Amino acid sequence: MSSDSIVVHETKRLNGEVTVPGDKSISHRAIILGSLAQGKVMVTGLSSGEDNRRTVKIFQQLGVIIKKRGPAEYLLHGKGLHGLREPGSILYAGNSGTTMRLMTGVLSGQPFFSVLSGDASLNARPMKRVVTPLREMGARISGRDGGNYAPLAIQGGKLQAARFALPVASAQVKSAIVLAGFYADGTTMVQEPVPSRDHTERMLRYLGAPLEVSAAGLAVTGGGELKGDLIEVPGDLSSAAFLIVAGLLVHDAEVLVRSVGVNPTRTGFLEILQNMGARIELLNMREMSGEPVADIRVRAGRLTGVTINGAIIPRTIDELPILAVAAAYAEGTTIIRDARELRVKETDRIAAMCTELKKMGADIEAQDDGMIIRGKESLSAAVCTSYGDHRVAMAMAVAGLAAQGETRVEDCACIKTSFPGFMNCLQSLMG
Ligand code: S3P
């Protein structure tokens, strides 16, 4: 067995309280905006996942002093919007799409040359979605296939404000444009077809940036400055999602996940599970650095199939693999539509989830933009693979907790990109 495999057995009981790593999306923004702020910024709760470590390393290469002060605490010596320096070597984003796309926005406005690259998966993901609007603002970016694939070479410089109506809801594209907008003359506007996660907007407001949000979209005016001394990052709902579904599928389960971000642009997953009949409660609602936070309690129970489509899709996009697992064990049919974006994530998540759940005996059919899943009372263990995708790996491990026999998921080193302690967390709930 490869050391990158994980093995799970049918589990009858899950019980206890856990915490999850800091939210990956918010952690990226804390590092980026903290580095671009004026003066020192303390970030607490930062995720230890590899994706966020890539963003930290990139800002260190750009001349920002970032020091670890505690297990999840980092002190950033912000350089201001114009204090970064030309890096001496390639900036490596690893597996992290958010790092690459947001950094393309930041680097487009710098008075120097830089190159962004990633691993094989990231260098095969589409970058035109950020490169095209940034070029419209005057950015000089080249890459493979006319700039659609990294490595991306960026000759930064002065940008001009522009107006964009995005064809697809994407927080990465929206954020890349907003970040470039700081370096543009005039006011840059971005409108999305439906709302995507709004962590960039919330953190910018928290740091006092000149950003306006209205029905017409976002408006950011070049210049200005970011100020702040503390950014607290809540736990990652996208990581908690695996433990929540485990708590629903294991026969005798009650799980409490403490201090999780419950920003409404991310909670589509919780609403869908509640519509499926899940017993989920949000307790102790509070706010951290402009983001809503709660403790989430879940108890085991039978689920029923639902249709998932339209505006809720961007609010649950990263949870669709684990929702497919929940649906495979639910009573009735679940239909997922309008989710073509799943095909260009760390792997093609529609193909991956259909192939792997079928190995366990699930009745699941791939559609161009989603999946049709006819739930079954039980599935059987299998040898599965992750395709190097952290969310597929964790989703299949959870599927194995409720399947008869021993399930092995291969190629699981990728879990460290977002949730390094995932297996320890599950084991602590098994008692
Ligand atoms: C993210 C945005 C989403 C999401 C990704 C993180 C972000 O991607 O799937 O995991 O932090 O902005 P898209 O912008 O491509 O939808």
Side-chain angles (χ1 to χ4, degrees):
M1 192 202 316
S2 132
S3 59
D4 287 348
S5 298
I6 58 182
V7 172
V8 290
H9 295 97
E10 185 177 12
T11 300
K12 295 289 182 205
R13 191 159 182 273
L14 273 190
N15 197 276
E17 284 184 31
V18 283
T19 53
V20 289
D23 186 278
K24 181 157 79 70
S25 289
I26 300 175
S27 293
H28 283 304
R29 285 146 175 94
I31 303 157
I32 296 172
L33 298 179
S35 296
L36 297 177
Q38 208 67 51
K40 290 183 188 163
V41 179
M42 178 67 101
V43 182
T44 64
L46 198 83
S47 167
S48 56
E50 204 168 82
D51 279 13
N52 292 123
R53 297 222 313 267
R54 301 289 181 205
T55 304
V56 167
K57 175 86 196 303
I58 285 176
F59 275 98
Q60 287 170 331
Q61 285 177 266
L62 293 168
V64 181
I65 296 171
I66 302 179
K67 289 260 178 337
K68 195 166 178 184
R69 283 291 157 93
E73 270 183 36
Y74 286 77
L75 184 63
L76 281 65
H77 295 247
K79 287 271 188 185
L81 286 173
H82 300 283
L84 302 181
R85 64 153 196 245
E86 187 169 73
S89 51
I90 285 175
L91 304 171
Y92 184 63
N95 195 242
S96 177
T98 307
T99 305
M100 183 166 288
R101 295 197 177 115
L102 270 58
M103 289 314 296
T104 305
V106 172
L107 294 167
S108 291
Q110 306 304 319
F112 54 70
F113 174 77
S114 55
V115 178
L116 275 167
S117 190
D119 66 10
S121 154
L122 183 55
N123 285 357
R125 293 179 66 188
M127 292 298 144
K128 268 255 164 83
R129 52 184 62 199
V130 286
V131 168
T132 302
L134 292 171
R135 279 179 178 160
E136 253 179 73
M137 296 174 76
R140 284 177 289 161
I141 306 171
S142 34
R144 293 180 300 124
D145 187 29
N148 195 26
Y149 297 112
L152 298 177
I154 303 167
Q155 178 53 64
K158 199 95 198 95
L159 302 175
Q160 302 98 45
R163 282 168 175 259
F164 301 99
L166 303 183
V168 178
S170 162
Q172 292 176 352
V173 177
K174 169 176 69 177
S175 302
I177 293 170
V178 167
L179 289 164
F182 282 130
Y183 299 95
D185 284 333
T187 300
T188 297
M189 313 259 308
V190 193
Q191 211 176 12
E192 297 188 278
V194 289
S196 66
R197 62 191 68 192
D198 66 354
H199 304 303
T200 304
E201 296 89 306
R202 282 174 186 259
M203 199 175 290
L204 283 172
R205 234 177 284 137
Y206 176 76
L207 298 174
L211 177 90
E212 278 170 42
V213 185
S214 70
L218 299 181
V220 60
T221 304
E225 90 181 9
L226 308 177
K227 285 197 200 108
D229 52 17
L230 174 69
I231 302 174
E232 292 175 287
V233 180
D236 197 333
L237 180 60
S238 298
S239 297
F242 300 102
L243 306 171
I244 291 170
V245 172
L248 289 167
L249 298 184
V250 168
H251 189 70
D252 173 12
E254 180 167 335
V255 174
L256 183 72
V257 194
R258 287 218 182 268
S259 245
V260 184
V262 287
N263 178 319
T265 60
R266 293 282 294 281
T267 49
F269 160 76
L270 296 175
E271 289 159 36
I272 291 163
L273 285 176
Q274 280 164 338
N275 288 339
M276 294 174 86
R279 291 187 293 168
I280 297 176
E281 289 168 276
L282 301 193
L283 310 166
N284 191 16
M285 284 288 297
R286 54 212 188 264
E287 206 176 282
M288 268 186 196
S289 306
E291 291 279 351
V293 177
D295 301 333
I296 302 180
R297 181 157 64 203
V298 53
R299 294 189 179 91
R302 198 84 183 100
L303 302 175
T304 39
V306 287
T307 295
I308 307 167
N309 64 340
I312 203 161
I313 293 289
R315 298 174 52 230
T316 192
I317 189 75
D318 290 346
E319 290 67 69
L320 290 171
I322 188 65
L323 276 169
V325 171
Y329 285 104
E331 206 176 302
T333 303
T334 294
I335 300 172
I336 302 174
R337 290 204 313 259
D338 304 326
R340 192 172 286 105
E341 277 293 299
L342 286 180
R343 294 209 178 265
V344 288
K345 294 295 178 187
E346 285 81 332
T347 189
D348 175 343
R349 288 183 174 161
I350 294 177
M353 290 311 297
C354 289
T355 308
E356 297 312 300
L357 280 170
K358 268 186 197 153
K359 290 181 184 168
M360 301 180 86
D363 182 348
I364 179 166
E365 214 181 294
Q367 304 288 294
D368 182 39
D369 67 344
M371 302 171 236
I372 299 176
I373 307 155
R374 294 173 196 89
K376 290 187 170 178
E377 205 152 319
S378 69
L379 298 180
S380 38
V383 177
C384 301
T385 183
S386 73
Y387 305 86
D389 183 320
H390 55 134
R391 300 204 198 280
V392 175
M394 290 185 274
M396 294 315 299
V398 171
L401 288 180
Q404 285 158 13
E406 176 184 289
T407 294
R408 173 150 39 105
V409 189
E410 293 182 330
D411 196 6
C412 283
C414 53
I415 289 176
K416 68 179 180 300
T417 64
S418 62
F419 195 172
F422 169 68
M423 280 310 283
N424 290 343
C425 215
L426 261 190
Q427 269 146 9
S428 79
L429 292 172
M430 288 173 194

